């Protein structure tokens, strides 16, 4: 059996976490603390397996191109603040934010082009792509104030933007292809891209006394699957004696998107 194959597995792993905190007995009229983290990852590949402008005679022949790129991204931002100020009005603010931007672009092709190919066994031309993006982003903010009067505020946000742009193609075009005996001809293109997202934002603010508390949290998760999958048998020259037992041309796309945003906002007011 003769193989003509090309494969790629580009992996990107990124973890970014930022945190900050403040605790003071005399914070002043305005106390702010904040933390943010972000990751940006991009994988771009071209994978080609071809028999082109050739004359080839063999038993079985497989022309195969595969890509299994993976991006794992984890970003988190945590902001904590607590104060017990003296007399006077105080504003206490805590912010935590995170963002992840990920993209995979691939061009995967398996082809026999303008060639004279004769096999006495099975002939297979196959292209397969399986891009996988696993993205986690979280923002956490906590503000707690012990004061006669004042404003305690906490804000958090998390955003995830993920994109796949994959073209997967398998074809036989031009030339002469002869499959002898009780053998099979198969042309197949498959795409199994997957995007998994976990994004969360949590905000907690508290004012113990006669103050006010404000908490805001927001989550954005945007996933885009721009993939094309194609398998075809083009125009061939007449091939005498080419009688494959079975001819299969198939194109399959099995993409999935898993998204689990979580948003938690708490505001706590306690009077003495």
């Amino acid at each position: 059996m003769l193989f003509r194959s090309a494969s790629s597995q580009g992996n990107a792993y990124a973890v970014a976490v930022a945190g900050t905190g403040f605790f003071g007995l005399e914070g002043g009229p305005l106390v702010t603390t904040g933390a943010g983290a972000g990751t940006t990852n991009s994988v771009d590949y071209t994978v080609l397996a071809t028999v082109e402008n050739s004359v080839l005679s063999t038993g079985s022949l497989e022309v195969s191109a595969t890509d299994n790129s993976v991006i794992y991204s984890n970003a988190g931002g945590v902001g904590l603040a607590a104060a017990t100020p003296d007399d006077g009005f105080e504003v206490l603010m805590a912010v935590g934010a995170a963002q992840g931007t990920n993209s995979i672009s691939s061009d995967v092709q398996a082809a026999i082009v303008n060639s004279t190919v004769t096999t006495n066994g099975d002939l297979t031309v196959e292209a397969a792509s399986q891009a996988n993006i696993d993205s986690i982003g979280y923002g956490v903010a906590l503000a707690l104030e012990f004061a006669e009067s004042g404003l305690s505020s906490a804000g958090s946000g998390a955003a995830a933007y993920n994109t796949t742009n994959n073209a997967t193609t398998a074809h036989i075009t031009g030339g002469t292809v002869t499959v002898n005996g009780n053998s099979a001809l198969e042309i197949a293109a498959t795409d199994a891209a997957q995007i998994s997202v976990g994004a969360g934002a949590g905000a907690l603010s508290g004012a113990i006394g006669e103050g006010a508390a404000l908490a805001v949290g927001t989550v954005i998760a945007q996933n885009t699957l721009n993939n094309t999958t194609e398998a075809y048998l083009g125009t061939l020259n007449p091939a005498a004696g080419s009688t494959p037992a079975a001819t299969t041309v198939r194109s399959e796309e099995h993409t999935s998107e898993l998204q689990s945003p979580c948003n938690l906002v708490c505001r706590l007011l306690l009077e003495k």
Side-chain angles (χ1 to χ4, degrees):
M1 185 173 186
L2 181 62
F3 291 93
R4 179 67 59 86
S5 64
S7 63
S8 172
Q9 185 169 347
N11 296 327
Y13 298 91
V15 178
V17 179
T20 186
F22 171 85
F23 177 77
L25 297 178
E26 297 182 3
L30 175 63
V31 175
T32 61
T33 181
T39 63
T40 300
N41 306 288
S42 179
V43 175
D44 191 347
Y45 276 98
T46 298
V47 185
L48 301 176
T50 62
V51 175
E52 191 169 356
N53 300 321
S54 302
V55 177
L56 184 62
S57 180
T58 184
S60 298
L61 173 62
E62 181 176 330
V63 181
S64 174
T66 61
D67 177 54
N68 296 294
S69 297
V70 177
I71 291 178
Y72 174 77
S73 172
N74 189 335
V78 180
L80 306 174
T84 59
D86 289 340
D87 296 337
F89 188 88
E90 181 182 75
V91 177
L92 182 66
M93 298 177 60
V95 178
Q99 177 175 317
T101 303
N102 308 293
S103 67
I104 295 179
S105 299
S106 67
D107 184 6
V108 183
Q109 295 187 43
I112 298 176
V113 181
N114 297 328
S115 297
T116 300
V117 176
T118 302
T119 69
N120 295 315
D122 295 340
L123 173 58
T124 303
V125 179
E126 184 175 16
S129 175
Q130 187 171 352
N132 186 5
I133 297 177
D134 190 349
S135 177
I136 299 175
Y138 53 90
V140 178
L142 171 63
L144 185 61
E145 184 174 39
F146 302 86
E148 292 295 338
S149 62
L151 173 64
S152 173
S153 60
S156 64
Y161 303 95
N162 304 292
T163 305
T164 63
N165 293 288
N166 302 325
T168 308
T169 308
H171 64 94
I172 299 177
T173 306
T176 301
V177 174
T178 304
V179 180
N180 293 319
N182 191 30
S183 304
L185 169 63
E186 182 177 14
I187 304 170
T190 60
D191 178 39
Q194 178 174 300
I195 296 177
S196 301
V197 178
L204 173 63
S205 67
I208 300 178
E210 296 181 357
L214 174 66
V216 178
T218 184
V219 176
I220 299 174
Q222 179 176 310
N223 303 315
T224 305
L225 295 163
N226 291 322
N227 302 331
T228 59
T229 308
E230 186 177 17
Y232 62 91
L233 179 62
T235 302
L236 302 177
N237 296 326
S242 180
T243 56
T247 299
T248 304
V249 179
R250 60 182 175 87
S251 174
E252 299 180 3
E253 188 167 318
H254 307 284
T255 59
S256 62
E257 177 184 344
L258 305 176
Q259 183 171 311
S260 58
C262 177
N263 189 10
L264 175 63
V265 177
C266 297
R267 184 175 67 93
L268 178 64
L269 278 174
L270 297 177
E271 292 188 0
K272 290 182 178 179

